[in-house]
Every structure is written in C-alpha cells, then in structure tokens.
Amino acid sequence: MAEFFNDYIPQHNLLRILLTLVALTVILLLSSVTRRLARRFGARQGYGPGRIFQVTVMVNVVAIITTLVVLGVIWGFTGQGFMVIASSLFAVVGIALFAAWSILSNITAAFILFFSAPFQVGDRIRVLDGDNTLTGRVRHMGLIYLTLDDEDGHRYTLPNNMLLQRTVIRLAPNKELPCDKKHCR
C-alpha cells in the first residue's frame, strides 16, 4: 500500500487529499449543526415548515460556497485565477443586483423577520403607511413577500423590506381594531 502512494500519488497531493477530507468533514458538521439549530429555533418560535426550510436552504448555499473557496485554496487555485473568476462573477452579479436590488433587500428582510419574530403566520397585524394602511391576518411569509388577508376577503402581497420600514402593529386575536382619527371612519 505504501508503494502505491509513493509511486502514484506525490506527497503534496496526499497532503491535499487529507486536507480536503478534513475540510469537507468540518464544513459538513458545521452545516449540519447550523441547520439543526435553525430547525429547533423555528420550532420553538412556532414557525411554519416553509419558513424553516428557506433558512436551511440558505445555510446549504453558504456551506457550498464556503466549500468551494476552501477546496480552491487547498488545491492551489491561485489568487490571480480567483481574481479573474471573482471579477467576472461580481460583474454579472452587480448587473443582476442593480436590476433587481429589491430582491436581495427582501431576502435580507425575510431573515430579519424570521429571527426577530415580531409576528407570525396567523397573527392579525396592521401596517401603517399613511393613507395606504392595511389590516389583516398574515397568511404566508416567504423569502420575498408576505401575504395578508383582510376581513373583506382581499389578499395583499407586501414586500418584506416594507415591513421593516413601516410601523407594524400586532393586534390582539379577538379584540376590535384600535381606531384613530385617520384610519377609522
């Protein structure tokens, strides 16, 4: 066995293989622990399976990107090669994000809403937005938007970033709506 490694696998490649196995093991363990913690946190907070799934998918994406970077470093991906690929990716991503910056903003807001949990699916909320104030029950909370059903059967789709920029009142489950001079007629 030792002759096989000496004849066919140079020593520096054997070290790279061992480092690759260690890196993969560590990243897989960290990713697994992070996903488990997110699931427990979500279950403890009473989040729906869809919201928990979205967070675990993002943990997987981060783990994959981290794995690719670490393996590139281990196997000698040069800084110059990395810069060429990174600049190309940044150019494409920059154009895409410039065209759709609100999508990234909404995904970030979804994670803030997930972990801060000011309200959840089934809660009655009021979103204060001047003359466009909305009141209803939260039906769905996704990565990009929140769906709200009002008492008249209308369904509203609100971007997540708007919920961080506006005042949101979590209403008591079985009480009358609070009235103020501007929003109750």
Side-chain angles (χ1 to χ4, degrees):
M1 188 69 144
E3 292 175 12
F4 171 79
F5 283 115
N6 289 335
D7 292 340
Y8 297 104
I9 301 177
Q11 293 296 63
H12 63 278
N13 282 345
L14 181 60
L15 179 62
R16 287 180 179 166
I17 291 170
L18 291 174
L19 286 173
T20 299
L21 292 174
V22 169
L24 289 174
T25 303
V26 168
I27 291 171
L28 284 173
L29 284 173
L30 287 174
S31 173
S32 176
V33 167
T34 306
R35 285 191 311 267
R36 192 174 306 125
L37 288 173
R39 277 192 224 99
R40 284 184 187 167
F41 179 81
R44 200 173 330 119
Q45 296 294 326
Y47 296 148
R51 288 185 74 195
I52 296 169
F53 176 75
Q54 291 169 349
V55 171
T56 57
V57 166
M58 290 306 292
V59 168
N60 288 339
V61 168
V62 169
I64 289 170
I65 291 170
T66 304
T67 301
L68 292 175
V69 169
V70 168
L71 291 181
V73 169
I74 290 173
W75 286 95
F77 192 60
T78 64
Q80 184 179 5
F82 176 74
M83 291 306 290
V84 168
I85 289 178
S87 63
S88 300
L89 284 175
F90 282 137
V92 171
V93 170
I95 291 168
L97 290 180
F98 180 75
W101 65 269
S102 65
I103 292 174
L104 184 62
S105 165
N106 285 320
I107 291 172
T108 304
F111 282 103
I112 293 170
L113 291 173
F114 179 82
F115 287 109
S116 66
F119 48 83
Q120 42 191 328
V121 174
D123 286 349
R124 289 176 59 219
I125 63 169
R126 174 178 273 183
V127 181
L128 302 179
D129 187 20
D131 290 334
N132 300 319
T133 295
L134 295 172
T135 302
R137 189 167 305 279
V138 178
R139 178 187 174 135
H140 171 76
M141 295 177 78
L143 275 178
I144 308 296
Y145 60 87
L146 171 135
T147 305
L148 191 69
D149 291 340
D150 70 3
E151 285 80 17
D152 297 328
H154 297 79
R155 182 166 294 159
Y156 298 94
T157 303
L158 307 172
N160 286 330
N161 61 3
M162 187 181 106
L163 297 167
L164 292 180
Q165 297 171 2
R166 305 288 185 261
T167 301
V168 178
I169 302 170
R170 185 176 179 185
L171 302 170
N174 298 321
K175 293 194 175 186
E176 287 288 320
L177 292 176
C179 290
D180 56 18
K181 293 178 184 174
K182 187 172 184 176
H183 299 106
C184 292
R185 297 181 172 109

